[in-house]
Amino acid sequence: MTRICVIGSLNIDLVAPVKEFPRIGETVNALDFDITEGGKGANQAYALGKLGADVRMVGKLGDKLRGHHYKEKLQENSVKCDTVRIEKDKYPGLAIVCVNQESENILIVHSGTNGLVDIDYIKEQWGQIVDNDIFLFQQEIPAETNKYIMKKLASKEKTIIFDPAPARHFSDEIYNYIDIITPNETELETLSDIKLNTENDFKKAADRLLAKGARTVIAKAGKKGAYIIEKKKFNHIPGYEVEAIDPTAAGDSFNAGLAYSLKEGKDIVEAVMFANAVAALSTTALGAQKAMPTIDEVEEFRN
Ligand code: RIB
């Protein structure tokens, strides 16, 4: 059985829906409030567990603010978590998430214990980590940790899917280890230094990442779906229309759907169609993980 491993962040999200985002200096009332589980890494692991994949999460939580509860929730959802350590007297990663009525969001993130996922910790967990086939990374743990693990895994010909979120530059060396990189529009603009206005801009921007060594670029384009760009190949896969409430973790759900479908042996086009469906469904409730679908829900939605 193909095993998937997510190495990354776990956050507690403080979620406030608002009518409109406040302007600078303004205070607005939230329409509601919730404290939910999030973090780009754990969102991907949770979505994979919900779909029914064999998945492991590697990362750290703090025991302040529901850290223990979060680990139990992941375990209840079939995510292997003996590689998630809970640090004493520490805050886990925290995200303040504001969602407006157009289903747009803005986030402020504090890295908390995600910042403690260092190379020494990875060395301790290595036996459990290396025993997997497909690996998912994001950018909410230290960049040198990502680079260290990716280099080791690439030498073992493991599959590496990198979500360069949140948008920030990283060492060029990393491109050589990436099988699939999945930037959204903001991330692709940051990494390529090209403003995306037309389809051709997506191609030009993705070509820059391919030139640095990535094998495949999948550019996530929200409601427009996604673009698959490889050397001499360009494919637009349209997205799905849904009544979106909260886009938080749509990108994470996409990556989970992509990994799930690839481990089922599907080709990249089918995997992106599946990922688009998982991402669309994930936006239909408030909170990162609330609407992540089961495999039956995805299949029913696509029929
Ligand atoms: O991608 C969505 C996630 O980004 C949220 O759950 C929040 O925790 C931030 O990490």
Side-chain angles (χ1 to χ4, degrees):
M1 193 189 206
T2 305
R3 298 195 189 112
I4 303 177
C5 181
V6 182
I7 300 164
S9 56
L10 303 103
N11 291 341
I12 298 295
D13 291 355
L14 310 178
V15 186
V18 292
K19 194 153 173 269
E20 284 174 8
F21 295 136
R23 287 164 298 167
I24 290 170
E26 189 186 15
T27 302
V28 296
N29 279 330
L31 302 171
D32 198 354
F33 178 73
D34 205 356
I35 300 182
T36 67
E37 292 77 18
K40 295 181 193 306
N43 288 341
Q44 296 182 8
Y46 184 86
L48 279 157
K50 193 97 192 265
L51 287 167
D54 181 328
V55 59
R56 166 176 298 284
M57 178 74 210
V58 181
K60 286 190 176 181
L61 281 162
D63 65 352
K64 290 187 174 178
L65 224 106
R66 308 197 343 173
H68 287 281
H69 170 79
Y70 194 172
K71 185 167 170 176
E72 281 159 23
K73 186 184 166 194
L74 284 171
Q75 282 165 328
E76 278 160 20
N77 195 53
S78 310
V79 179
K80 286 176 272 183
C81 281
D82 48 322
T83 38
V84 174
R85 178 172 296 167
I86 301 183
E87 298 282 351
K88 255 182 135 7
D89 298 326
K90 295 265 189 303
Y91 277 109
L94 296 170
I96 298 160
V97 183
C98 209
V99 184
N100 72 8
Q101 294 202 309
E102 276 77 54
S103 176
E104 298 163 322
N105 64 7
I106 45 175
L107 279 79
I108 300 171
V109 174
H110 171 66
S111 64
T113 45
N114 297 313
L116 305 178
V117 182
D118 56 16
I119 293 172
D120 284 345
Y121 180 63
I122 296 303
K123 285 181 179 163
E124 279 175 45
Q125 309 298 327
W126 188 249
Q128 306 273 48
I129 294 173
V130 74
D131 192 26
N132 291 281
D133 309 289
I134 300 177
F135 290 82
L136 295 160
F137 292 87
Q138 321 74 36
Q139 299 215 83
E140 288 189 324
I141 60 168
E144 62 271 22
T145 306
N146 273 349
K147 187 167 86 176
Y148 172 83
I149 312 170
M150 286 190 200
K151 184 174 184 180
K152 283 178 78 97
L153 294 174
S155 72
K156 297 189 178 302
E157 301 194 357
K158 305 282 188 181
T159 301
I160 295 177
I161 302 176
F162 184 40
D163 190 358
R168 76 171 64 103
H169 285 281
F170 49 86
S171 146
D172 273 0
E173 183 188 330
I174 283 187
Y175 284 99
N176 299 309
Y177 309 137
I178 299 171
D179 292 292
I180 303 174
I181 186 165
T182 60
N184 67 14
E185 288 169 86
T186 317
E187 291 142 14
L188 186 54
E189 284 186 351
T190 301
L191 296 177
S192 67
D193 285 322
I194 292 177
K195 193 103 194 88
L196 303 176
N197 294 313
T198 65
E199 246 185 40
N200 200 39
D201 295 332
F202 275 88
K203 191 175 171 331
K204 278 196 294 187
D207 279 346
R208 291 209 174 160
L209 312 195
L210 295 175
K212 289 186 178 183
R215 254 76 74 202
T216 302
V217 178
I218 298 177
K220 296 183 271 198
K223 289 178 191 146
K224 290 189 292 247
Y227 298 94
I228 307 171
I229 307 131
E230 293 171 334
K231 288 210 169 99
K232 301 204 177 124
K233 271 199 216 157
F234 182 86
N235 231 323
H236 175 218
I237 313 293
Y240 291 87
E241 286 279 329
V242 288
E243 276 212 19
I245 292 172
D246 180 0
T248 311
D252 306 329
S253 305
F254 180 98
N255 277 49
L258 178 72
Y260 181 90
S261 194
L262 291 174
K263 75 108 182 139
E264 291 288 283
K266 306 293 187 216
D267 66 24
I268 194 91
V269 171
E270 168 57 24
V272 171
M273 291 197 289
F274 183 86
N276 276 342
V278 178
L281 286 169
S282 77
T283 66
T284 57
L286 187 69
Q289 298 175 1
K290 286 263 166 73
M292 285 175 174
T294 62
I295 187 67
D296 290 348
E297 286 165 345
V298 183
E299 275 163 11
E300 195 187 320
F301 176 68
R302 292 186 72 199
N303 282 328

